Amino acid sequence: TMVLDEKATPLTRVWCLFELVQTCKLRHGRSGFCFVTGSGVLQEGRGDISVAMALARHISTVRLEQAGASRQTDKDMIFGLVRSMPGGFDGMNRYVRHTVSRA
């Protein structure tokens, strides 16, 4: 489950994106992900339309290398892990887009 605001802020944060990928990998590609807003679950048609639109905008442009973190050491650690993965940032970005769009 990912709680979203009207700006889909979690999709701009390093830890949130990294945790999304790790969760899906541990589930062997089955996302089972729910996006929750203050007005309900998007997949159940109960979420705010502005949040759904923000999610759609962010999915198409999500770039982990532009994501923020409150601690530079966290960002450096995650970036190092991503660089060591097959496909690096490009592969991770494709994976996030694909996973979120399927949820």
Side-chain angles (χ1 to χ4, degrees):
T1 300
M2 182 178 280
V3 178
L4 297 173
D5 59 9
E6 65 281 347
K7 295 179 184 177
T9 302
L11 296 178
T12 68
R13 306 300 298 162
V14 170
W15 270 113
C16 295
L17 292 171
F18 188 72
E19 288 172 355
L20 180 141
V21 170
Q22 293 304 311
T23 298
C24 292
K25 286 187 179 212
L26 289 172
R27 294 179 51 83
H28 305 290
R30 297 181 319 271
S31 81
F33 236 76
C34 289
F35 294 102
V36 180
T37 71
S39 55
V41 178
L42 289 179
Q43 286 92 330
E44 295 175 356
R46 296 188 190 143
D48 186 326
I49 190 68
S50 64
V51 176
M53 296 302 291
L55 179 60
R57 274 192 308 277
H58 281 291
I59 290 172
S60 65
T61 61
V62 69
R63 295 186 58 80
L64 179 63
E65 59 268 46
Q66 294 175 351
S70 23
R71 294 182 55 199
Q72 187 63 42
T73 54
D74 289 349
K75 188 173 183 176
D76 294 343
M77 187 254 322
I78 291 171
F79 279 20
L81 289 170
V82 170
R83 285 185 189 102
S84 71
M85 294 176 164
F89 282 105
D90 287 338
M92 177 76 97
N93 291 331
R94 278 192 306 275
Y95 187 83
V96 168
R97 286 183 197 115
H98 176 73
T99 300
V100 173
S101 67
R102 284 186 348 185

